[in-house]
Amino acid sequence: MRQPASLDLLIALRELLGEAHVLTSGDLSAYEQDWRKRTRGQALAVVRPGSTQQVADVVKACAQANVSIVPQGGNTGLVVGGIPDNTGAQVLLSLQRMNAIRAIDADNLTLTAEAGCVLQNVQQAAEQSGFLFPLSLGAEGSCTLGGNLATNAGGTQVVRYGNTRELCLGLEVVTAQGDVMHSLSGLRKDNTGYDLRHLMIGSEGTLGIITAATMKLYPMPAARLTAWAAVPSVAHAVKLLGLAHQHLGAGVTGFEMMGQFALRLVDKHYPQLRVPLWQDTPYCVLLENSDSESEAHARQRFEHLLELALEDGCVSDAVVAENLSQARNLWHIRESITLAQAEEGLNIKHDISVPISSIPRFVEETDALLTREISGVRLVNFGHLGDGNLHYNVQAPEGCDTQAFLRDHEDRVNALVYQSVKRFKGSISAEHGVGSMKVDSLPHYKDPVALALMQRIKHALDPQGLLNPGRVVR
Ligand code: FAD
Ligand code: 2HG
Ligand code: ZN
């Protein structure tokens, strides 16, 4: 039964947005269930404002009714941060209708877009104007710019261009009071006090609702080449990264590592992708070299690097994509690991980072701990080695009931992995965020003073606790 106060709120929301954009019935699973289908919540209503003013009006109405709000973009988040809880009392605020590219300023090298713009559409708008918007991730066909900012998403080009944070020059944000902060300046220099933009980025909808952003653009490289290399060990992959930095400099725009079992899953579930070189090597590396001169120049430098790496022994075999379609296929293999893992069954994800120099020992020691703990456990280890970020995922032993596996092992596996991360001075969330999945682990792994400051900031900006409560900090 809905409480009378919620009924008043629903009437107010319908007046503000129109019947069609306040959803309370029908199949709402696209909004209420997380991407991995591990959690399902229930919203009081799903609201779909079409403008910044409407977002502000919705926030004001919810604040008056003391009803909390969960902002949502493409709902591709992996830490259960963008769906409602199961009380049926929260408003799910979808930004999807706010999807306009507002402006491209070629001389300033900036693009301003609304938060609900799908990342791929932002990339395409940049490309149509002759520029590169470098943020790139497997979910780019459905995740949104607002979600990318709210999670400070990483992806596969961070090694050269940085996280979403590094790409953002300005934000428009609706505060917890329903005021609008207009800071879409596009300035590269502005030291007029606290940088609230950086407070909002990565705050996962707990401090404000991002409605638009001004992002950096880059010149389109003259050539982008992709190579796939077999490496004898993680330590050799790290050595190859060092060689790539040394010989390609800023040309290194992608450096991904994939363990054999991760590739075995892609081969099993998507055989049409024809994964190269995976059978005889424990790890493969996907490298991308971008060049501002020409394809011939890029190829010559890339082949020189790979020859050195073969001589040195840090690469045992390698292929360089001959054309765009081969390069796309290699990237498609890499981006398909998450889907192949999902096909294989429920699993435990760890999105961790440690200093790049510690990665070989982290993997060796943590692999040993887990294989000792759970007989037959299957480790799906892959990720953004160039950023020190691994998706160190854990799949149930073959034939095991996955629900039972999660019930019996998830907490212990998380503790083992996170303690290992702590020993190596790493982070338990490198790029996916905290959401509700890691909110209770955070106090064990985050500096206590930093966490207390985060709680005070949350309280100062959102004293009613209306914005995405229970996520990031309690
Ligand atoms: P949602 O899932 O809708 O929301 C995520 C969080 O942001 C929630 O806490 C939500 O409340 C908040 N939020 C959303 N929009 C706003 C807004 N406008 N204002 C305030 N808060 C908001 N992530 C990476 O970092 N790197 C990867 O390589 C990567 N690859 C992925 C591959 C696959 C196949 C999948 C499914 C996910 C991947 N992700 C990756 C995770 C996910 O795509 C990112 O976290 C993405 O940034 C989420 O965007 P979204 O629009 O889907 O956000
Ligand atoms: C990736 O890098 C994503 O592909 C998803 O961050 C990672 O599935 C995962 O664990
Ligand atoms: Zn990732």
Side-chain angles (χ1 to χ4, degrees):
M1 261 291 276
R2 291 199 169 98
Q3 301 302 310
S6 335
L7 291 177
D8 287 349
L9 175 62
L10 288 177
I11 293 167
L13 292 172
R14 287 194 174 106
E15 267 170 22
L16 290 170
L17 306 182
E19 286 281 328
H21 299 302
V22 181
L23 315 177
T24 53
S25 58
D27 180 8
L28 298 180
S29 55
Y31 303 99
E32 293 182 333
Q33 186 170 50
D34 78 309
W35 188 88
R36 293 174 71 199
K37 299 193 169 56
R38 285 199 61 175
T39 313
R40 171 93 198 234
Q42 197 202 341
L44 170 69
V46 172
V47 300
R48 295 163 43 86
S51 68
T52 303
Q53 189 53 51
Q54 285 193 342
V55 174
D57 292 343
V58 167
V59 172
K60 281 194 173 129
C62 289
Q64 206 177 9
N66 207 26
V67 165
S68 61
I69 301 167
V70 181
Q72 188 183 86
N75 195 16
T76 66
L78 296 174
V79 289
V80 191
I83 57 163
D85 64 20
N86 57 14
T87 57
Q90 296 187 303
V91 166
L92 187 289
L93 189 152
S94 167
L95 277 299
Q96 280 175 341
R97 282 180 66 222
M98 289 191 61
N99 58 11
I101 304 282
R102 287 193 188 162
I104 291 183
D105 183 339
D107 290 339
N108 200 39
L109 284 173
T110 51
L111 172 151
T112 298
E114 291 182 342
C117 266
V118 169
L119 173 56
Q120 206 165 56
N121 295 342
V122 178
Q123 295 165 342
Q124 278 167 8
E127 199 176 328
Q128 278 157 15
S129 298
F131 296 106
L132 171 74
F133 180 62
L135 184 65
S136 176
L137 44 136
E140 64 198 23
S142 39
C143 67
T144 62
L145 184 60
N148 302 148
L149 286 156
T151 56
N152 185 26
T156 52
Q157 301 278 297
V158 174
V159 66
R160 164 71 178 87
Y161 299 101
N163 294 303
T164 310
R165 181 185 299 288
E166 275 83 39
L167 300 172
C168 179
L169 291 174
L171 289 179
E172 180 186 89
V173 175
V174 172
T175 69
Q177 292 69 37
D179 299 323
V180 183
M181 179 178 95
H182 296 280
S183 298
L184 288 173
S185 69
L187 299 177
R188 280 153 214 272
K189 288 189 154 186
D190 177 10
N191 281 350
T192 52
Y194 309 136
D195 200 328
L196 300 172
R197 160 189 50 159
H198 285 312
L199 203 50
M200 293 295 164
I201 297 172
S203 67
E204 299 179 50
T206 62
L207 300 180
I209 301 177
I210 298 167
T211 48
T214 298
M215 308 299 292
K216 289 184 195 167
L217 296 175
Y218 287 83
M220 193 61 89
R224 284 165 99 169
L225 289 187
T226 304
W228 184 281
V231 294
S233 70
V234 180
H236 286 96
V238 170
K239 198 155 184 224
L240 176 60
L241 174 65
L243 278 181
H245 280 314
Q246 194 186 336
H247 290 275
L248 303 177
V252 183
T253 46
F255 198 100
E256 301 285 310
M257 184 182 78
M258 298 147 292
Q260 190 183 49
F261 183 63
L263 294 175
R264 182 186 296 278
L265 288 182
V266 178
D267 181 69
K268 175 176 168 186
H269 295 287
Y270 306 109
Q272 71 280 13
L273 293 180
R274 305 168 78 88
V275 183
L277 307 182
W278 67 277
Q279 270 145 323
D280 303 318
T281 185
Y283 289 93
C284 286
V285 164
L286 183 62
L287 301 89
E288 188 185 77
N289 173 26
S290 296
D291 195 291
S292 55
E293 265 189 57
S294 65
E295 173 154 350
H297 186 251
R299 203 167 280 281
Q300 179 235 321
R301 295 185 78 196
F302 217 18
E303 285 173 356
H304 178 59
L305 166 72
L306 291 170
E307 275 161 25
L308 288 176
L310 280 159
E311 273 167 30
D312 192 84
C314 58
V315 162
S316 55
D317 201 354
V319 287
V320 180
E322 290 294 327
N323 51 44
L324 208 58
S325 126
Q326 281 181 11
R328 280 209 186 106
N329 190 57
L330 294 177
W331 278 105
H332 194 182
I333 294 167
R334 159 63 185 88
E335 303 293 11
S336 299
I337 298 174
T338 302
L339 296 167
Q341 248 206 292
E343 289 289 332
E344 188 70 7
L346 289 173
N347 54 75
I348 306 172
K349 282 194 188 296
H350 302 111
D351 159 42
I352 62 95
S353 60
V354 295
I356 296 171
S357 48
S358 299
I359 284 194
R361 277 190 47 222
F362 168 83
V363 172
E364 192 186 329
E365 290 182 20
T366 319
D367 280 9
L369 280 172
L370 289 174
T371 43
R372 208 178 308 140
E373 178 82 10
I374 308 165
S375 150
V377 74
R378 299 178 297 167
L379 301 176
V380 184
N381 182 1
F382 66 104
H384 319 287
L385 188 74
D387 321 324
N389 172 195
L390 293 180
H391 299 304
Y392 189 84
N393 298 342
V394 178
Q395 200 95 30
E398 182 110 51
C400 179
D401 172 353
T402 52
Q403 292 284 4
F405 174 75
L406 292 181
R407 189 191 60 225
D408 297 343
H409 295 289
E410 187 161 18
D411 289 347
R412 174 81 180 134
V413 164
N414 285 343
L416 280 176
V417 173
Y418 291 163
Q419 279 158 19
S420 194
V421 166
K422 192 173 182 174
R423 277 197 302 284
F424 286 97
K425 300 191 176 8
S427 166
I428 65 164
S429 176
E431 60 170 6
H432 295 162
V434 176
S436 54
M437 281 189 82
K438 297 184 188 172
V439 70
D440 292 323
S441 300
L442 207 58
H444 303 292
Y445 302 101
K446 182 102 185 162
D447 173 76
V449 176
L451 192 62
L453 284 174
M454 279 167 56
Q455 282 159 341
R456 281 162 64 187
I457 289 168
K458 166 72 180 169
H459 189 70
L461 267 62
D462 179 18
Q464 270 181 276
L466 289 180
L467 293 180
N468 218 359
R471 272 77 198 251
V472 187
V473 281
R474 285 207 195 274

